[in-house]
């Protein structure tokens, strides 16, 4: 059993051209850039920015976004180098398979499934809740959930997942065009938030910019589970704000940057990936970072972070309601709905592409990787959509929100280190993009990502450990035995040790005895 066996880059590219399992190259630089903005603007601005300011960073949430952006940029450089060297679907999973071996590739693929599945389910549920808020602003009282036999069914989640599952089945380019329209609308809403928000800014709300650290209100085991893993390891008392609060906020708002590793999963569907991928990814990241920092400055300048902390679930709408601008709050509610819409689409696509890559390799059932005449994984996309809809519509999935971040960051750590392995193993490769400053930036990227992981809650690490145990059980009971690489190793072994080889050796022995 060789758990560290690697899959060659040439074999990965050849598998991507396998008839009946091939994806169509149709995406441009603009499509990729908009795709990154589509999944990031909405996931971050409309859901976690206000929460991070209220509970962790205060006005210094701007620094939290900056730290998260730098960490993401470093990791995305590594993704871009990999993606231009291995332009196939699967992102970090494929990159790890080519450098660090099958077992670690399985773990990363399993973590990507965790990230994308959980994110899609959480955002789909939020979308349904926002839809009800929009109806309420229009005077229609339509609850976000209906009770079926004592179980709350969030019908909005079913609706939005079904719509985008159908669009993705019809084709990636069509989905991208629809996503482009929604994304341009929500960028307009975000610019509205920035311009109008700055008219309400009071500079005294920025003071203190970094609030003094203070103990959290809870006591007992529950409070320990909510504190950061770093604080737990160092024995620090559960606290919020202060310098550590900035990093805890960065770990939370990192959720706002998950779109850019998802973009890398579409490498196989990109025209001229060596040039298109780096341009699309970095262009989207630069735009998103600028928007995030401006929104966070407007948010914390409009109202005091203490006022945000008093709200049960603080959002951008909370800030505008606090200054008495209810008309702006209505526009933001609509913008939130549109913003979350495209996030779901990109996450559903990314989820199916990761599973597609793993099933091509036999680590998951091969039947899942079959594509249609339109070169889209119809069967797989429907299965992924149905699973996301059921979990989003019927469970309290928002409890697992931080699982999205730990799944992403774990993949970022491995990809950052994987670049160093790739350069050593394949010095002959000349990718179109190369991370500058040699080994320095990949190592810094890995360290930063690992540190942000330790700033996630203790309970998140416990859930993560359980997820990994489940993944290892599936790998050793199914994936390891059905791996196509395992079959190739078996064929090679048979060629060396099989009946024909044994007969030849017997003949040699007889000659020796003679």
């Amino acid at each position: 059993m060789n758990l560290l066996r690697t899959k060659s880059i040439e074999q990965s590219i050849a598998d991507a051209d396998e008839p009946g399992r091939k994806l169509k190259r149709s995406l441009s630089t603009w499509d990729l850039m908009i795709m990154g903005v589509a999944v990031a603007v909405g996931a971050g601005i409309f859901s976690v920015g206000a929460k991070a300011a209220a509970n962790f960073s205060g006005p210094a949430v701007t620094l939290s976004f900056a730290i998260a952006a730098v960490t993401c940029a470093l990791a995305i450089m590594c993704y871009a180098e990999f993606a231009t060297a291995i332009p196939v679907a699967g992102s970090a999973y494929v990159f790890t398979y080519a450098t660090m071996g099958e077992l670690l590739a399985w773990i990363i693929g399993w973590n990507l499934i965790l990230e994308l599945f959980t994110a899609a389910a959480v955002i789909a549920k939020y979308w349904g809740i926002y839809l009800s808020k929009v109806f309420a602003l229009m005077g229609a009282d339509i609850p976000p959930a209906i009770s079926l036999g004592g179980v709350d069914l969030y019908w909005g989640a079913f609706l939005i997942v079904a719509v985008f599952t159908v669009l993705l089945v019809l084709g990636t380019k069509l989905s991208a065009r629809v996503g482009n329209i929604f994304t341009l609308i929500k960028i307009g809403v975000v610019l509205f938030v920035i311009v109008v928000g700055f008219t309400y800014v009071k500079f005294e709300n920025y003071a203190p910019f970094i609030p003094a650290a203070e103990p959290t209100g809870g006591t007992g085991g529950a409070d320990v589970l909510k504190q950061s893993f770093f604080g737990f390891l160092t024995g620090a008392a559960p606290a919020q704000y202060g310098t550590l609060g900035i990093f805890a906020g960065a770990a939370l708002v990192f959720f706002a940057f998950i779109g850019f590793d998802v973009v890398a999963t579409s490498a196989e569907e990109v025209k001229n990936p060596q040039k298109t991928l780096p341009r699309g990814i970095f262009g989207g990241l630069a735009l998103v970072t600028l928007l995030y920092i401006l929104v966070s400055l407007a948010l914390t300048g409009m109202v005091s972070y203490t006022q945000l902390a008093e709200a049960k679930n603080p959002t951008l709408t909370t800030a505008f309601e606090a200054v008495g601008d209810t008309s702006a709050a209505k526009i933001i509610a609509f913008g939130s709905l549109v913003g979350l819409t495209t996030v779901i689409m990109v996450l559903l696509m990314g989820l199916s592409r990761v599973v597609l890559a793993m099933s091509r390799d036999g680590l998951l059932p091969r039947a899942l990787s079959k594509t249609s005449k339109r070169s889209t994984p119809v069967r797989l996309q429907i299965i992924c959509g149905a699973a996301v809809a059921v979990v989003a519509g019927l469970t309290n999935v928002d409890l697992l929100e931080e699982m999205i971040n730990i799944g992403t960051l774990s993949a970022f750590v491995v990809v950052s280190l994987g670049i160093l392995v790739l350069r050593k193993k394949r010095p002959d490769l000349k990718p179109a993009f190369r991370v500058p400053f040699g080994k320095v930036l990949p190592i810094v990227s890995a360290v930063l990502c690992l540190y942000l992981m330790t700033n996630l809650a203790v309970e998140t690490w416990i859930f993560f450990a359980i997820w990994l145990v489940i993944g290892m059980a599936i790998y050793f009971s199914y994936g390891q035995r059905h791996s196509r690489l395992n079959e190739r190793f078996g064929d090679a072994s048979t060629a060396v040790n099989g009946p024909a080889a044994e007969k030849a050796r017997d003949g040699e022995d007889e000659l020796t005895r003679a």
Side-chain angles (χ1 to χ4, degrees):
M1 184 187 297
N2 186 355
L3 301 179
L4 299 179
R5 59 195 177 204
T6 58
K7 182 180 179 182
S8 71
I9 293 172
E10 290 76 13
Q11 188 60 53
S12 293
I13 294 173
D15 286 349
D17 286 327
E18 183 181 349
R21 303 176 195 276
K22 187 177 180 180
L23 298 173
K24 183 179 180 181
R25 294 195 182 275
S26 60
L27 300 178
S28 64
T29 298
W30 172 257
D31 291 326
L32 281 190
M33 182 175 172
I34 290 296
M35 189 182 295
V37 175
V39 75
V41 176
I45 287 182
F46 296 120
S47 61
V48 298
K51 183 178 178 181
N55 301 326
F56 297 102
S57 313
V61 69
T62 303
L63 297 180
S64 297
F65 272 114
I67 291 169
V70 169
T71 305
C72 182
L74 291 175
I76 289 304
M77 285 184 187
C78 300
Y79 268 83
E81 182 170 336
F82 260 125
T84 54
I86 319 174
V88 299
S91 185
Y93 159 75
V94 173
F95 307 155
T96 307
Y97 212 161
T99 54
M100 298 185 180
E102 184 174 279
L103 179 61
L104 194 55
W106 165 265
I107 293 172
I108 292 303
W110 188 240
N111 288 349
L112 286 174
I113 291 174
L114 168 70
E115 169 203 343
L116 298 169
F117 182 88
T118 309
V122 168
I123 298 300
K125 186 171 183 178
Y126 282 150
W127 187 90
I129 294 172
Y130 272 112
L131 180 62
S132 294
K133 288 183 177 180
V134 170
F135 280 134
L137 291 172
M138 296 168 60
D141 185 17
I142 301 177
I146 55 177
S147 182
L148 292 176
V151 177
D152 287 337
L153 170 65
Y154 286 83
W155 58 271
F158 276 92
L159 174 64
I160 191 62
V161 172
V163 168
F164 277 110
T165 297
V166 171
L167 276 174
L168 288 167
V169 164
L170 293 176
T172 305
K173 186 64 177 179
L174 174 62
S175 305
R177 286 173 179 167
V178 174
N180 290 350
I181 296 170
F182 279 105
T183 301
L184 292 175
I185 292 173
K186 69 178 175 181
I187 288 176
V189 173
V190 170
L191 292 175
F192 168 83
V193 169
I194 294 169
V195 172
V196 176
F198 270 105
T199 64
Y200 295 107
V201 165
K202 296 179 179 178
F203 286 99
E204 56 265 30
N205 288 329
Y206 292 128
F209 187 69
I210 303 177
E214 58 184 61
T216 55
T219 57
D223 199 50
V224 171
L225 292 178
K226 294 293 184 183
Q227 78 174 35
S228 74
F229 190 57
F230 181 81
F232 175 77
L233 291 175
T234 56
Q240 61 186 150
Y241 306 126
T243 303
L244 290 181
I246 296 174
F247 285 96
L252 179 62
V253 300
F254 195 84
F255 173 62
F257 294 94
I258 62 171
F260 299 99
D261 69 313
V262 176
V263 170
T265 67
S266 64
E268 196 176 318
E269 296 165 270
V270 176
K271 294 181 288 187
N272 192 11
Q274 282 72 22
K275 292 183 179 180
T276 303
L277 273 165
R279 291 173 182 171
I281 292 175
F282 292 125
L285 179 61
L287 177 58
V288 164
T289 302
L290 177 63
L291 291 176
Y292 283 167
I293 289 176
L294 290 175
V295 167
S296 62
L297 284 171
L299 171 72
T300 53
M302 290 172 66
V303 295
S304 169
Y305 72 94
T306 56
Q307 197 170 351
L308 290 173
E310 292 172 359
K312 185 177 180 181
N313 290 302
T315 64
L316 281 176
T317 306
T318 306
F320 279 92
E321 288 176 342
V323 297
D325 194 340
T326 55
S327 59
K330 292 179 181 179
I331 295 174
I332 292 172
F334 172 74
S336 300
L337 185 67
V338 173
L340 296 178
T341 300
T342 52
V343 177
I344 298 165
M345 181 196 73
V346 180
L347 291 172
L348 286 172
M349 189 186 80
L351 175 61
S352 66
R353 272 47 177 183
V354 171
V355 177
L356 174 87
M358 297 175 74
S359 63
R360 268 183 188 159
D361 293 330
L363 300 183
L364 291 173
R366 286 268 293 164
L368 295 176
S369 61
K370 290 184 178 179
T371 54
S372 67
K373 293 180 180 179
R374 296 176 182 269
S375 296
T376 57
V378 173
R379 180 187 305 174
L380 179 56
Q381 196 69 67
I382 292 172
I383 291 172
C384 290
V388 168
V390 168
V391 172
L394 297 175
T395 68
N396 196 14
V397 70
D398 45 311
L399 291 175
L400 302 178
E401 191 172 298
E402 282 195 0
M403 295 293 284
I404 304 165
N405 291 5
I406 201 167
T408 306
L409 286 165
S410 65
F412 277 19
V413 170
V414 174
V415 169
S416 299
L417 296 177
I419 279 296
L420 304 179
V421 178
L422 179 69
R423 290 176 180 176
K424 185 174 183 180
K425 293 180 70 172
R426 294 295 303 271
D428 57 304
L429 290 179
K430 304 295 180 184
F433 176 83
R434 192 176 176 90
V435 181
F437 302 110
K439 299 178 181 179
V440 176
L441 291 188
I443 292 173
V444 171
S445 172
V447 171
L448 273 175
C449 291
L450 190 60
Y451 179 64
L452 287 188
M453 285 178 72
T454 66
N455 278 274
L456 295 171
V458 172
E459 66 177 357
T460 301
W461 279 86
I462 294 173
F463 288 137
F464 185 54
I466 294 171
W467 177 258
L468 289 178
V469 169
I470 295 171
M472 297 302 286
I474 294 174
Y475 174 73
F476 285 110
S477 63
Y478 181 89
Q480 193 274 331
R481 291 188 294 111
H482 291 84
S483 164
R484 296 188 74 199
L485 203 58
N486 187 46
E487 293 173 2
R488 294 188 185 108
F489 269 75
D491 292 342
S493 177
T494 300
V496 175
N497 302 307
E502 189 174 337
K503 186 175 180 180
R505 282 193 295 271
D506 289 342
E508 290 174 2
D509 291 341
E510 288 177 7
L511 286 172
T512 302
R513 284 194 295 271

